[in-house]
């Protein structure tokens, strides 16, 4: 399967290119259906993209029609600095005219993460009624150095989930308790954008793009849209292209 791999000199350039494409998707979706549903990624790589959406691209995004979800979340309070919601709030959500009711954070206040996962699945099912899987207009994903994406880590039982949209997961990095979309829930999106930068992601990127995916070893390789497209927005350091340095560009 050919991958749409787009390589840029650095994080700034890939973030700008992804922002340009994202606002075009949002405008087209909003014009067609009045809504643009996006699942945000956590971690550090998307920060610059979010900042650009809140500044240079703010005026080109149809915010009232944007519905914001998350692809995964650390199971910590929303005001915890490790929270993916907190990162999106400080880099994007606090700076754009999004109706409060359009922001759907993953809940992290239930005693049992499993209960929270089921609650979030109900939120998604309410937004994507009478569908076997959610149909996000766009899912944003990052890439871990060892091949994880969202909170789907190598060897996780969540990787073989074929029915549920959202599950609780224990992961080998802090904070260990997570909520995450499952692979089928991701793979039914119309568009999936991976963002990856830095030499540290080089091996994982190669594994994720391999012709024969080893999903147990590299969960990102399991992101294969059913009826949609996946675009990889990467820098030269992650791709190992010309001018790549051993230090990477992070
Ligand atoms: C998270 C993310 C996770 C992230 C990767 C890459 O909650 O941490 O969802 O999947 O995208 O770990 O993280 P960086 O962008 O910080 O390298």
């Amino acid at each position: 399967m050919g991958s749409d791999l787009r390589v840029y000199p650095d994080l700034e350039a890939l973030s700008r290119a992804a922002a340009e494409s994202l606002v075009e998707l949002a405008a087209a979706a909003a014009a067609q259906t009045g809504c643009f549903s996006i699942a945000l990624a956590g971690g550090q790589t998307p920060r610059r993209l979010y900042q650009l959406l809140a500044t240079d691209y703010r005026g080109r995004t149809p915010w009232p029609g944007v519905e914001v979800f998350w692809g995964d979340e650390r199971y910590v309070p929303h005001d915890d600095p490790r929270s993916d919601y907190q990162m999106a709030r400080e880099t994007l959500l606090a700076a754009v005219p999004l109706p409060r009711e359009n922001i759907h954070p993953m809940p992290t206040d239930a005693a049992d993460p499993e209960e929270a996962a089921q609650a979030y699945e109900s939120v998604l099912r309410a937004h994507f009624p009478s569908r076997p899987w959610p149909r996000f207009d766009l899912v944003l994903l990052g890439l871990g150095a060892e091949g994880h994406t969202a909170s789907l880590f190598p060897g996780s039982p969540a990787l073989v989930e074929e029915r549920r949209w959202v599950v609780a997961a224990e992961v080998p990095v802090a904070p260990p308790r997570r909520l995450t979309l499952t692979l089928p829930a991701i793979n039914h999106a119309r568009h999936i954008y991976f963002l990856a930068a830095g030499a540290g992601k080089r091996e994982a990127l190669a594994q994720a793009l391999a012709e024969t995916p080893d999903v147990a070893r590299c969960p990102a390789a399991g992101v294969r849209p059913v009826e949609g497209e996946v675009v990889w927005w990467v820098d030269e350091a992650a791709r190992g292209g010309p001018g790549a340095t051993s230090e990477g560009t992070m």
Side-chain angles (χ1 to χ4, degrees):
M1 180 194 99
S3 296
D4 186 344
L5 178 68
R6 305 183 191 184
V7 186
Y8 297 86
D10 53 29
L11 179 62
E12 177 70 18
L14 80 87
S15 302
R16 281 190 174 277
E20 185 71 39
S21 185
L22 189 154
V23 297
E24 285 172 16
L25 281 188
Q32 197 174 7
T33 66
C35 169
F36 176 66
S37 57
I38 181 172
L40 298 182
Q44 296 307 308
T45 305
R47 288 184 72 97
R48 184 59 184 139
L49 169 61
Y50 298 167
Q51 290 166 346
L52 288 168
L53 293 173
T55 54
D56 299 19
Y57 292 86
R58 186 177 189 278
R60 291 176 50 191
T61 308
W63 295 109
V66 177
E67 295 279 352
V68 178
F69 301 90
W70 273 258
D72 71 317
E73 183 56 279
R74 292 91 177 274
Y75 209 71
V76 295
H78 284 159
D79 60 2
D80 186 304
R82 299 168 297 173
S83 160
D84 289 334
Y85 166 78
Q86 170 62 11
M87 184 273 278
R89 200 192 62 76
E90 70 186 21
T91 54
L92 173 60
L93 303 179
V96 295
L98 252 179
R100 183 90 196 83
E101 62 273 17
N102 289 29
I103 301 173
H104 312 280
M106 287 187 165
T108 60
D109 49 358
D112 178 2
E114 189 50 51
E115 189 184 309
Q118 290 169 24
Y120 201 63
E121 181 158 331
S122 301
V123 168
L124 294 182
R125 287 184 182 276
H127 190 81
F128 300 104
S130 64
R131 280 183 173 277
W133 296 104
R135 185 80 166 140
F136 291 102
D137 290 303
L138 176 61
V139 172
L140 293 178
L141 292 172
L143 177 66
E146 84 303 302
H148 83 262
T149 193
S151 282
L152 298 166
F153 279 71
S156 167
L159 293 174
V160 294
E161 175 59 51
E162 295 181 344
R163 192 178 45 82
R164 296 180 58 188
W165 295 13
V166 186
V167 293
E170 286 286 328
V171 304
V173 294
R177 297 198 307 175
R178 304 286 182 99
L179 301 181
T180 187
L181 293 183
T182 56
L183 281 173
I186 292 169
N187 283 331
H188 281 80
R190 288 189 173 81
H191 303 274
I192 302 168
Y193 283 4
F194 270 103
L195 302 175
K201 305 296 175 76
R202 198 171 297 172
E203 175 56 27
L205 180 59
Q207 291 295 330
L209 297 174
E211 271 304 303
T212 46
D214 180 347
V215 179
R217 181 173 163 219
C218 178
V223 176
R224 295 288 198 265
V226 174
E227 281 179 64
E229 64 155 4
V230 57
V231 180
W232 286 85
W233 306 87
V234 308
D235 67 359
E236 286 172 2
R239 186 57 179 151
T245 61
S246 56
E247 297 74 47
T249 60
M250 288 301 283

